[in-house]
Amino acid sequence: MIKRIYSWLFFIFFTLGYSQQVFEVQNFSEKYYAKVSVQDSSEVFTPGIITVYNKKTGKELVKVESEELAPNFTTEGNIKANILQLPYGEQSLLIYDDFNFDGISDLALQDGQNSCYHGPSYQIYLGTKNGFIHNKKFTRLAQEYCGMFSYNKEEKKIYTMTKSGCCWHQFSEFVIENNLPVAVKIVEEDAFKIPFYTSTIKERKNGKMLESSETVMDKKDESIMSFLSFTINKNNKQLILFNINNRTLNYAILKENDVVEFSYPIETIYQNPDFIYSASENVVSFKNKDAEYQIYDKDKEIGIMINIDGKTYNWKGNKATQQGSLKKLLEINLDNVVIK
């Protein structure tokens, strides 16, 4: 009821309050044509109405009203259709194509700028032998991500992308089951915790979404400076102590291809004494809820002592692979290090 009242109010104010500019769109389909009424075609965003008609009967089939259309025009002054340049390129008011891969073309009509970062959003109408039917599931894919979704007719898959700032992206892959989009793969890329970059993959196998995650360290990131690194003899993994932006000390164990097996602290909190450095022994120690760690740097040996449940393990390092020294901790004041 509320939606119907809003629709009538929009129509009254739009038609009576402003002089309309009406454009016909004829070139997107052999069966249908559209009329686009806008308040001001000179503006980037303008209130408007998109209406689709049957060419033979002239019957109105679908209408979408918007407070914020973004029409694109040809050099001749006609409104463009069927333009889809993803992720941030031109996306026309009207896209007519087969989104559910059933051999019948469907409609995507722009309803505003409701997708991520004020991007274009669409209402999706699936084509049938008797016209078009609005579909909520497909419409969600054109509302809750960044712009219109992309699709591959050969693979019969739909793809979406969304993001948060510069440092978090999500890429999703859908197949069509029972005429509805179903997610089969979701990849999240998280770069908020520099220099660690985490990729999380959710993939459907045997009807269940299984999740796997991997974090990689970018040792060449300009924000970090390495104090000490060496290879551990026992497992050929790399231990690295480094600081971020000259503020905090951090520890990581890296597997092959710089995949992070363990890092500390998990969250950086300034002025928190995460590490204790004994200058006389040249040892850095820290602990978490599971274990106590002591990284030692001596003239003839290097390594890390790990105490877990009263048992001590000595992971000796390869002295030939050593780069840097714990003594460098005396040269800089870090927020989370106490020097004794």
Side-chain angles (χ1 to χ4, degrees):
M1 183 66 180
I2 294 176
K3 186 175 181 181
R4 186 178 299 175
I5 293 173
Y6 166 80
S7 178
W8 275 105
L9 289 174
F10 179 91
F11 179 78
I12 291 171
F13 285 119
F14 182 77
T15 55
L16 298 182
Y18 306 97
S19 57
Q20 299 179 59
Q21 295 174 279
V22 182
F23 301 86
E24 283 201 3
V25 186
Q26 293 278 357
N27 60 350
F28 70 90
S29 168
E30 294 181 356
K31 296 181 180 180
Y32 311 106
Y33 73 96
K35 288 184 179 179
V36 179
S37 303
V38 297
Q39 177 183 319
D40 189 347
S41 61
S42 66
E43 295 290 335
V44 175
F45 304 113
T46 178
I49 300 173
I50 305 171
T51 310
V52 176
Y53 300 87
N54 184 302
K55 280 187 176 181
K56 287 185 177 181
T57 65
K59 180 182 178 181
E60 177 184 306
L61 301 177
V62 179
K63 177 190 287 185
V64 170
E65 302 166 350
S66 172
E67 294 181 341
E68 212 173 18
L69 291 181
N72 296 315
F73 294 90
T74 65
T75 54
E76 293 80 18
N78 299 316
I79 286 183
K80 294 181 181 179
N82 293 338
I83 305 296
L84 184 59
Q85 299 173 350
L86 297 172
Y88 307 116
E90 185 176 345
Q91 299 178 44
S92 57
L93 297 183
L94 185 153
I95 300 168
Y96 179 67
D97 207 347
D98 184 7
F99 306 140
N100 59 346
F101 318 119
D102 64 352
I104 303 175
S105 292
D106 311 302
L107 274 175
L109 301 181
Q110 192 177 119
D111 68 347
Q113 311 300 308
N114 304 310
S115 68
C116 78
Y117 293 89
H118 196 246
S121 55
Y122 293 83
Q123 295 292 320
I124 306 299
Y125 296 83
L126 297 184
T128 69
K129 294 180 180 180
N130 300 315
F132 299 96
I133 298 176
H134 183 264
N135 189 282
K136 291 183 179 180
K137 295 288 186 179
F138 277 89
T139 295
R140 284 185 62 187
L141 301 187
Q143 297 278 332
E144 299 177 2
Y145 299 88
C146 289
M148 177 63 179
F149 52 80
S150 63
Y151 46 96
N152 187 307
K153 293 182 180 180
E154 292 183 1
E155 297 178 350
K156 294 187 177 181
K157 290 183 178 179
I158 289 175
Y159 302 92
T160 62
M161 186 277 288
T162 188
K163 59 178 288 187
S164 176
C166 65
C167 302
W168 183 88
H169 292 77
Q170 183 190 80
F171 304 90
S172 300
E173 180 180 311
F174 300 81
V175 297
I176 307 303
E177 294 182 359
N178 298 319
N179 210 30
L180 295 174
V182 177
V184 292
K185 188 175 183 180
I186 301 172
V187 178
E188 294 182 5
E189 297 178 353
D190 187 344
F192 276 114
K193 297 179 180 179
I194 294 173
F196 300 129
Y197 299 85
T198 300
S199 177
T200 301
I201 300 176
K202 300 176 183 178
E203 195 163 11
R204 194 175 71 157
K205 293 182 179 180
N206 298 322
K208 296 182 179 180
M209 292 295 282
L210 304 180
E211 182 175 324
S212 61
S213 183
E214 182 177 85
T215 300
V216 174
M217 179 179 174
D218 181 5
K219 295 185 293 188
K220 297 181 180 180
D221 192 285
E222 295 180 354
S223 67
I224 71 171
M225 179 178 72
S226 175
F227 283 101
L228 175 67
S229 69
F230 57 86
T231 299
I232 299 167
N233 290 330
K234 180 179 180 179
N235 47 36
N236 207 37
K237 296 173 184 177
Q238 183 184 25
L239 180 151
I240 181 169
L241 273 175
F242 60 97
N243 85 60
I244 300 177
N245 293 323
N246 292 328
R247 297 295 302 271
T248 60
L249 185 65
N250 291 261
Y251 162 90
I253 293 290
L254 307 181
K255 299 187 292 186
E256 189 177 0
N257 299 321
D258 295 332
V259 174
V260 179
E261 180 178 270
F262 174 73
S263 65
Y264 179 88
I266 296 175
E267 298 290 344
T268 297
I269 304 175
Y270 296 140
Q271 303 300 337
N272 178 25
D274 296 306
F275 297 88
I276 298 175
Y277 174 55
S278 173
S280 61
E281 298 179 356
N282 205 26
V283 171
V284 165
S285 61
F286 66 93
K287 62 182 179 179
N288 58 18
K289 65 179 182 178
D290 298 317
E292 296 182 2
Y293 304 81
Q294 286 187 327
I295 303 166
Y296 57 88
D297 179 9
K298 299 180 180 180
D299 291 338
K300 294 184 179 181
E301 60 179 347
I302 196 167
I304 180 169
M305 305 285 288
I306 306 172
N307 187 292
I308 303 176
D309 296 330
K311 294 183 179 180
T312 300
Y313 304 88
N314 186 6
W315 286 8
K316 293 183 179 181
N318 185 339
K319 194 70 174 176
T321 64
Q322 178 178 351
Q323 294 184 6
S325 168
L326 290 180
K327 292 180 180 179
K328 293 172 67 175
L329 288 168
L330 296 172
E331 301 173 5
I332 185 172
N333 183 28
L334 298 174
D335 292 341
N336 65 338
V337 178
V338 172
I339 298 177
K340 293 185 177 180

